[in-house]
Amino acid sequence: MALTGIQIFKLLPQTNCKECGAPTCLAFAMNLASGKAELDACPYVSDEAREQLAEASAPPILPVQIGKGVRARTVGGETVQYRHEKTFFNPTALAGKIKSDMDDKELDQKLKVWNAFQFERVGFTLRPELVALEDANGDADAFAAKAKKIAENSEFNLILMSENLDVMKAAVEVCKFKNPLIYAATKDNFDDFSALAKENDLPLTIKADSVEGLMEMTDKLRDEGFKKIVIDSGSRDVKKAYEDQVNIRRAALKKSNRSVGYPTIVFPCEMASNLDMETLLASMFIAKYGAICVMSDFASESLFALLLERLNIFTDPQRPMTVVEDIYPIGNPDENSPVLITTNFALTYFIVSGEIEGSKVPAWLLVKDTEGLSVLTAWAAGKFAGDDVGMFVKKCGIADKVKNKELIIPGYAASITGEIEEELPDWTVTVGPREAPHLPAFLKQRQ
C-alpha cells in the first residue's frame, strides 16, 4: 500500500540538505508520495528506510528493461493516464516478427534491411529496437540457431516467442547475454516458464485470456519477489484489445492495482491482414498504451510514421521540442555560401531549413539556443538579442568556414541589427524575409 507524504517524511534523514532539489525533506516526501520525485535523489536515506520506501516510491507501472547494447529499451515506468498531466517517459518499443523456419540467407537480408531503418529527427536517431522470433515448428535447434544469429550479428534485441519449454530453454541458453524477453507464460506452463525466467534473471511475459486472468499469475510472481513482468491480456479483437489497454492503465494508476501495474505488449500483426492496417492499429496502441508493439514486418513508409508519432507523444508537453545549437550545412555549402541564423524551436528549424533546401541555394544555417522559442517570441523574451546573437556567431566557428562575412537575420528580428553590428564589426548584417516561404526567392535574387 502506498505511503502518505508524512509517513515517508518520518523515514527520511530530515536534514533539509536540499541536495535532492527540494527545499526541505517534507517537500521531498510530498513529491515522492505524488510520484514527482525518485527516492535515489536523496543521498542520505538509510538502507532500512530505502527498503521500506521502495514499494511506496515505485511508479504504479513498474519499469522493465529489455535487451542490452545501443537498442536496449526500458518499458513501463509510467505515472500518468494522460500525457498533459505530466509526461510519458518510456517510448513504446517496436518489434518486427520473424519465424524460426526462415532461411538463413533470407534472415540475413531481412536484418540488413531492418537495421538500415534509421531516421534523424530534431537531433534524435529514430529506429526500431526488437525482433520477435516466433517458434514455427517446435524445432528447438532451429529456434536457438536463429536466436543466436540475431543476438550476435545484429543490434536488435529479442522477444523469444514459444510456449514450448524445451524450445525456450535452448534459445535462452545461447542469447541470455542480450537480456531477451521471454514470451509467454500461460496458465498451462506458468511454473516452468517463471522458473526459467527467475533462474536466468530475464523479463517474462504473462499471457492470459483476460485482464482478470493475468492477476493471479502476476500476484504470485510479485509475492516471490519477481518484478520483471510484461503482460498480455490475450485479446486480438481490436475493440477489446483497446479496452484492455485503457482499463489496465486506469486500474494501475487510478486504483493503485499492483496486480496489473506492468508494461503491456500488443500484437497488431495478429489483428490485421496487411501492413497498412497494422500501422493504423500500432499508431493507436502507441497512444493507448502499448509498451511493446509487434509488427509482422518493417517498411519505411510504415515505420517512419510510427517512429515520428512515438517521438511526438513521448516528449515532455511542458517543454517545446528543440534542435541542438549548431551550424547546419544545407545543400553542400562552401566558403562563398550565404549564412542565415534562426532559433532552435524545432518547428522553426524544419520550416526554415526546408525552404532553404527547396531554394536549391547551398547555405549555412546557424541555430541558436533560445530554449525552444520561435524567433518573435525569443526576441520578445530577450533570448534572441543582438549581443547574444553576435557572441554566438563569434563562438560557433562559422567565421572559419566562410569568406563573405554576411549574416542574414530573420525579418522579425530586424531591430537587433545595430547590436549585432556592434558585436560583429567585421560582418555585414542583412535583414531577411519575415516569413520563411519567402526565403527561396530572397536567396535566388542574391546569387
Side-chain angles (χ1 to χ4, degrees):
M1 182 177 177
L3 300 179
T4 65
I6 296 299
Q7 290 171 322
I8 294 173
F9 173 68
K10 292 177 181 179
L11 296 171
L12 294 177
Q14 301 180 26
T15 59
N16 295 332
C17 67
K18 301 182 177 62
E19 292 185 34
C20 63
T24 65
C25 286
L26 179 59
F28 176 68
M30 295 301 177
N31 289 339
L32 204 61
S34 62
K36 297 178 180 178
E38 299 291 336
L39 183 59
D40 289 341
C42 177
Y44 304 115
V45 64
S46 67
D47 292 340
E48 181 181 355
R50 186 179 298 278
E51 186 175 346
Q52 295 182 56
L53 290 169
E55 182 73 14
S57 62
I61 298 174
L62 294 180
V64 176
Q65 181 172 323
I66 299 170
K68 294 286 181 68
V70 296
R71 301 200 192 203
R73 172 69 74 189
T74 296
V75 294
E78 303 301 339
T79 61
V80 293
Q81 184 83 21
Y82 303 107
R83 175 177 175 266
H84 66 264
E85 293 176 314
K86 184 179 181 183
T87 185
F88 292 164
F89 290 102
N90 293 312
T92 304
L94 297 178
K97 187 188 283 189
I98 286 175
K99 292 195 174 184
S100 61
D101 60 354
M102 178 180 285
D103 178 81
D104 281 345
K105 289 184 179 179
E106 186 181 355
L107 175 59
D108 290 338
Q109 181 61 27
K110 177 79 73 175
L111 291 176
K112 182 179 179 181
V113 171
W114 285 4
N115 195 60
F117 287 136
Q118 300 190 38
F119 308 93
E120 295 295 326
R121 186 77 170 178
V122 291
F124 295 96
T125 299
L126 310 180
R127 56 193 176 190
E129 296 81 20
L130 297 167
V131 170
L133 179 62
E134 183 178 32
D135 177 19
N137 50 23
D139 185 335
D141 292 337
F143 190 73
K146 292 295 189 298
K148 188 173 188 292
K149 178 184 281 288
I150 295 167
E152 293 181 348
N153 300 330
S154 80
E155 293 180 349
F156 286 101
N157 290 295
L158 278 160
I159 303 172
L160 301 175
M161 298 180 63
S162 177
E163 294 182 8
N164 183 308
L165 180 63
D166 293 333
V167 171
M168 188 62 72
K169 279 184 175 179
V172 166
E173 184 63 29
V174 298
C175 70
K176 61 183 176 182
F177 69 91
K178 210 77 178 278
N179 194 40
L181 172 64
I182 295 175
Y183 181 95
T186 66
K187 63 180 181 181
D188 296 325
N189 64 17
F190 175 78
D191 291 335
D192 291 334
F193 269 54
S194 59
L196 179 65
K198 286 184 284 187
E199 179 183 346
N200 293 279
D201 194 28
L202 296 177
L204 174 68
T205 304
I206 303 298
K207 179 183 178 182
D209 295 330
S210 64
V211 175
E212 292 75 15
L214 293 168
M215 298 170 65
E216 182 179 350
M217 291 185 280
T218 58
D219 286 345
K220 184 175 181 180
L221 285 177
R222 188 175 73 252
D223 291 343
E224 295 171 355
F226 186 82
K227 298 179 180 179
K228 295 182 178 182
I229 300 171
V230 175
I231 55 178
D232 177 5
S233 68
S235 177
R236 299 299 183 261
D237 173 77
V238 174
K239 181 181 178 182
K240 185 64 169 63
Y242 172 82
E243 290 174 350
D244 286 347
Q245 293 301 306
V246 174
N247 290 336
I248 287 170
R249 177 67 70 99
R250 184 177 292 129
L253 296 181
K254 305 300 183 183
K255 299 181 180 179
S256 301
N257 187 341
R258 291 290 189 182
S259 299
V260 291
Y262 304 98
T264 61
I265 185 169
V266 291
F267 290 85
C269 60
E270 298 179 10
M271 302 179 197
S273 59
N274 59 73
L275 189 59
D276 289 344
M277 184 55 67
E278 282 183 40
T279 304
L280 289 173
L281 297 179
S283 70
M284 175 183 73
F285 287 124
I286 288 172
K288 300 278 188 182
Y289 293 99
I292 304 169
C293 190
V294 182
M295 309 288 289
S296 63
D297 199 357
F298 289 139
S300 58
E301 65 273 14
S302 163
L303 187 60
F304 179 69
L306 295 177
L307 290 170
L308 194 57
E309 178 197 11
R310 184 177 78 175
L311 175 66
N312 289 335
I313 289 175
F314 286 88
T315 53
D316 189 343
Q318 299 177 39
R319 299 185 64 180
M321 289 188 79
T322 62
V323 295
V324 178
E325 180 178 88
D326 206 347
I327 302 171
Y328 290 83
I330 300 176
N332 298 315
D334 58 26
E335 59 186 10
N336 297 309
S337 298
V339 179
L340 298 91
I341 190 167
T342 191
T343 69
N344 73 329
F345 177 42
L347 183 59
T348 297
Y349 166 77
F350 281 111
I351 292 174
V352 171
S353 62
E355 294 294 346
I356 296 173
E357 187 173 353
S359 74
K360 307 298 183 184
V361 177
W364 302 96
L365 179 59
L366 309 185
V367 174
K368 184 185 180 301
D369 183 5
T370 56
E371 300 180 9
L373 300 178
S374 63
V375 171
L376 192 57
T377 307
W379 169 77
K383 299 184 185 301
F384 200 70
D387 53 350
D388 288 337
V389 170
M391 287 298 295
F392 169 62
V393 173
K394 282 182 181 178
K395 293 180 178 180
C396 72
I398 187 62
D400 299 328
K401 299 178 183 293
V402 295
K403 281 184 180 179
N404 182 25
K405 295 184 178 180
E406 179 187 19
L407 180 67
I408 301 171
I409 65 172
Y412 281 116
S415 62
I416 66 174
T417 301
E419 295 174 351
I420 299 175
E421 289 175 338
E422 289 181 9
E423 194 69 38
L424 300 172
D426 297 335
W427 286 72
T428 299
V429 180
T430 299
V431 178
R434 286 192 168 196
E435 304 295 340
H438 298 153
L439 274 172
F442 175 82
L443 293 172
K444 288 175 182 177
Q445 288 172 0
R446 300 177 59 80
Q447 282 187 303

